[in-house]
């Protein structure tokens, strides 16, 4: 070989070496052996998601927190590798820092994760990790490997777990929120590393600071201390997790601007900081099936009530409480309760529920709410709505949150339909009005009636509202 040819080959070789990065960007591995067709995987994932809703306190789609997570998830999916999956995003009202992905696209994020994240990039990193589990079919790959084609629910463990602590990332036959030590399908170390690396790339392609993912590892370490690595036994640390994630980030071209956080994230953080998230123990005990907008259990349907004559008499009387006063028809009944709250209802307007509690079927509920310190009325309203909707997935807003004035006080108004919440399983209409108080708290009034009768009662409810006065 002559010298000229040798020099040319050497030049080309050096040119290739100079243009190839030291670490190639993560490449999706070849498909695993999988006994599930994509259609079956999607169908089984939907079944699993339905089971989650039965056994865990999932916030409804009308919650501003859920809507934010859905928007963030949709943004990440746009930057994810193409796939046949139908992604849906949900929020579980659980305090553990966790998230999990079901086969075919359902992704659940614990409220505790949103509360713990310090930036939107960190939260997006967790969600990108879960999306990666779905794309690479880790759950059904593992099931195929370990159990062949055993019946789906016979496995007792389905969810692709996130890198986070606890058993909230596991869907077992007895329900996701069972005991913290439940058995579930463990992701292998290779699967976890793959989800980490693809998640970083999705984060980058969506315009976020990819360092958000390793930064969230530090958040976990700060919360769980030296024991932080132990919780990863459920979703094992492949080893040197932060190091290989940072090495992947080094392969990505630099950008002049990263998205670290957004005003939308700050708004949601303000809302979730005032929300009560249930512990795994509370979820396992069923304590999350708490109160709904009308004062009864969120999952207890009022029994069939006697006919209610809700027509006002034409004469009005005054309920003069320590914190408010209000007028109401004199053929209705008012009951004051501790904490400056009250119910006002026509005869038979309060009914026993199927679990032995009572709920207002026709009438008015008056109570107070203490929002997070520094919250304005809009934020306070969102916090109260989120609190009411906890475990009450049938409650759907039918209007926006509108500005109102109640006897010269600033207020907010929103209406809901609560399917199946009224007597006999009929739909219920709830009209919520929030009124600001000088001490930063709020008073609120909920007007309740079966949907079929609400418009007939609206003039009476409007007159009650016109007489409502806050005392400071």
């Amino acid at each position: 070989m002559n010298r000229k040819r040798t020099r040319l080959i050497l030049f080309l070789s050096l040119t290739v070496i100079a243009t190839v990065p030291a670490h190639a960007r993560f490449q999706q591995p070849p498909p695993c052996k999988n006994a599930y067709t994509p259609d079956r995987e999607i169908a089984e994932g939907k079944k699993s998601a339905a089971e989650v809703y039965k056994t865990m306190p999932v916030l409804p789609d009308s919650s501003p927190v859920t809507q934010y997570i859905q928007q963030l998830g949709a943004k990440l999916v746009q930057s994810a590798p193409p796939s046949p999956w139908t992604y849906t995003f949900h929020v579980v009202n659980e305090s553990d820092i966790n998230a999990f992905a079901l086969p075919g696209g359902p992704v659940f994020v614990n409220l505790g994760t949103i509360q713990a994240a310090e930036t939107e990039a960190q939260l997006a990193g967790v969600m990108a990790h879960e999306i990666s589990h779905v794309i690479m079919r880790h759950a059904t790959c593992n099931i195929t490997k370990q159990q062949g084609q055993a019946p789906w629910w016979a496995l007792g463990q389905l969810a692709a777990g996130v890198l986070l602590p606890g058993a909230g990332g596991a869907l077992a036959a007895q329900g996701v929120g069972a005991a913290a030590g439940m058995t579930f399908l463990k992701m292998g170390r290779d699967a976890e590393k793959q989800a980490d690396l693809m998640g970083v790339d999705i984060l980058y392609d969506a315009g976020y600071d990819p360092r958000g993912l390793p930064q969230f590892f530090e958040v976990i370490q700060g919360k769980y201390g030296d024991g932080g690595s132990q919780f990863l036994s459920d979703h094992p640390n492949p080893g040197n997790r932060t190091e290989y994630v940072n090495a992947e980030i080094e392969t990505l071209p630099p950008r002049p601007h990263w998205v670290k956080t957004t005003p939308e994230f700050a708004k949601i953080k303000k809302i979730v900081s005032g929300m009560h998230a249930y512990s795994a123990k509370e979820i396992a005990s069923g304590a999350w099936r708490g109160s709904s907008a009308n004062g009864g259990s969120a999952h207890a349907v009022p029994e069939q009530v006697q006919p209610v004559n809700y027509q006002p008499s034409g004469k009005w009387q005054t309920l003069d409480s320590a914190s408010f006063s209000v007028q109401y028809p004199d053929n209705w009944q008012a009951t004051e309760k501790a904490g400056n709250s009250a119910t006002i209802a026509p005869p038979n307007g309060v009914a026993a529920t199927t679990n032995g509690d009572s709920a207002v079927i026709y009438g008015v509920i008056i109570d107070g709410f203490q929002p997070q310190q520094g919250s304005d009325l809009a934020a306070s309203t969102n916090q109260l709505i989120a609190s009411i909707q906890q475990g009450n997935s049938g409650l759907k807003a039918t209007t926006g949150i509108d500005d109102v004035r109640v006897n010269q006080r600033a207020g907010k108004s929103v209406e809901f339909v609560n399917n199946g919440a009224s007597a006999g399983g009929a739909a219920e209409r709830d009209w919520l009005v929030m009124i600001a108080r000088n001490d930063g708290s709020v008073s609120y009034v909920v007007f309740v009636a079966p949907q079929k009768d609400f418009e007939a009662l609206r003039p009476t409810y409007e007159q009650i509202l016109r007489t409502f006065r806050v005392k400071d």
Side-chain angles (χ1 to χ4, degrees):
M1 183 181 295
N2 60 43
R3 291 182 178 180
K4 185 176 181 180
R5 181 178 175 83
T6 301
R7 285 197 298 272
L8 177 61
I9 292 172
L10 180 60
F11 172 77
L12 292 174
S13 298
L14 291 173
T15 301
V16 170
I17 292 171
T19 57
V20 175
H23 300 280
R25 180 168 170 156
F26 174 73
Q27 298 296 314
Q28 185 173 337
C32 68
K33 181 181 179 181
N34 198 312
Y36 292 82
T37 65
D39 286 345
R40 182 185 174 198
E41 189 158 336
I42 291 171
E44 297 292 358
K46 289 180 179 179
K47 291 180 184 178
S48 302
E51 192 66 19
V52 174
Y53 269 84
K54 292 178 183 178
T55 55
M56 297 203 73
V58 181
L59 298 183
D61 287 346
S62 57
S63 164
V65 180
T66 301
Q67 291 173 357
Y68 166 77
I69 290 296
Q70 290 171 340
Q71 292 165 3
L72 179 56
K75 181 178 181 180
L76 293 169
V77 168
Q78 289 178 349
S79 298
S83 69
W85 313 122
T86 303
Y87 295 95
T88 57
F89 296 91
H90 317 267
V91 178
V92 180
N93 187 24
E94 182 173 356
S95 59
D96 286 345
I97 300 177
N98 218 330
F100 59 93
L102 300 178
V107 175
F108 291 79
V109 181
N110 278 10
L111 186 64
T113 302
I114 305 171
Q115 291 172 329
E118 297 171 349
T119 67
E120 187 166 286
Q122 292 179 8
L123 179 59
V126 174
M127 295 174 65
H129 177 105
E130 291 307 319
I131 291 169
S132 301
H133 275 309
V134 175
I135 292 170
M136 291 180 281
R137 307 183 69 185
H138 284 153
T140 50
C141 287
N142 247 6
I143 292 169
T144 301
K145 180 180 178 181
Q146 296 183 15
Q147 302 287 349
Q149 285 191 278
W152 186 263
W153 288 107
L155 298 173
Q157 42 193 337
L158 300 178
V162 74
L163 47 143
L164 305 177
L171 176 60
Q174 67 268 35
V176 180
M182 71 160 66
T183 303
F184 68 98
L185 185 67
K186 291 185 178 181
M187 288 292 104
R189 295 178 185 275
D190 287 345
E192 285 300 303
K193 183 172 182 178
Q194 291 165 7
D196 287 342
L197 296 177
M198 180 179 284
V200 164
D201 290 349
I202 293 173
L203 204 57
Y204 169 87
D205 290 337
Y208 287 101
D209 183 351
R211 292 169 295 184
L213 186 57
Q215 287 169 357
F216 199 71
F217 299 156
E218 297 173 5
V219 171
I220 299 171
Q221 180 66 28
K223 182 175 178 64
Y224 291 90
D226 293 337
S229 62
Q230 296 302 313
F231 64 72
L232 293 174
S233 62
D234 288 342
H235 317 290
N237 187 340
N240 301 318
R241 192 167 223 158
T242 301
E243 288 81 357
Y244 72 66
V245 168
N246 285 328
E248 178 70 12
I249 293 172
E250 291 298 319
T251 71
L252 304 173
R255 284 183 172 170
H257 174 69
W258 302 109
V259 175
K260 292 185 177 180
T261 198
T262 65
E264 292 76 18
F265 176 79
K267 178 180 177 181
I268 292 301
K269 280 285 288 185
K270 195 171 184 179
I271 292 173
V272 301
S273 63
M275 293 174 62
H276 168 71
Y278 295 99
S279 67
K281 183 177 180 180
E282 288 176 316
I283 293 172
S285 70
W288 60 276
R289 302 179 189 275
S291 61
S292 64
N294 71 0
S297 170
H299 288 269
V301 177
E303 296 175 342
Q304 189 63 45
V305 297
Q306 299 177 15
V308 178
N309 179 13
Y310 53 77
Q311 295 296 335
S313 63
K315 295 182 180 180
W316 292 67
Q317 57 185 330
T318 300
L319 173 62
D320 194 10
S321 175
S323 62
F324 66 87
S325 66
V326 66
Q327 295 181 15
Y328 62 96
D330 72 351
N331 60 332
W332 289 25
Q333 300 166 343
T335 304
E336 286 193 75
K337 299 182 179 180
N340 295 317
S341 63
T343 60
I344 302 171
N348 299 323
V350 178
T353 65
T354 53
N355 70 352
D357 292 334
S358 62
V360 176
I361 307 303
Y362 293 83
V364 185
I365 301 164
I366 301 170
D367 208 340
F369 177 70
Q370 183 63 56
Q372 180 190 5
Q373 186 174 4
S375 298
D376 59 17
L377 185 57
S380 300
T381 301
N382 282 322
Q383 290 173 31
L384 178 60
I385 291 172
S387 177
I388 291 173
Q389 288 176 327
Q390 290 178 9
N392 193 0
S393 60
L395 192 68
K396 307 294 184 184
T398 59
T399 69
I401 300 175
D402 299 321
D403 292 322
V404 295
R405 302 290 295 183
V406 180
N407 281 306
Q408 306 305 312
R409 297 268 185 161
K412 297 286 185 180
S413 169
V414 60
E415 296 188 22
F416 302 88
V417 167
N418 199 350
N419 290 318
S422 195
E428 175 185 279
R429 175 69 67 89
D430 300 311
W431 175 23
L432 169 66
V433 180
M434 302 270 288
I435 302 102
R437 302 182 67 92
N438 291 337
D439 62 1
S441 66
V442 295
S443 290
Y444 68 88
V445 185
V446 184
F447 301 96
V448 182
Q451 188 172 14
K452 64 183 179 63
D453 294 324
F454 193 90
E455 290 305 320
L457 271 164
R458 188 181 291 275
T460 301
Y461 287 162
E462 290 175 344
Q463 178 60 24
I464 292 173
L465 183 61
R466 280 192 289 268
T467 70
F468 185 83
R469 286 178 169 79
V470 169
K471 299 179 181 178
D472 287 315

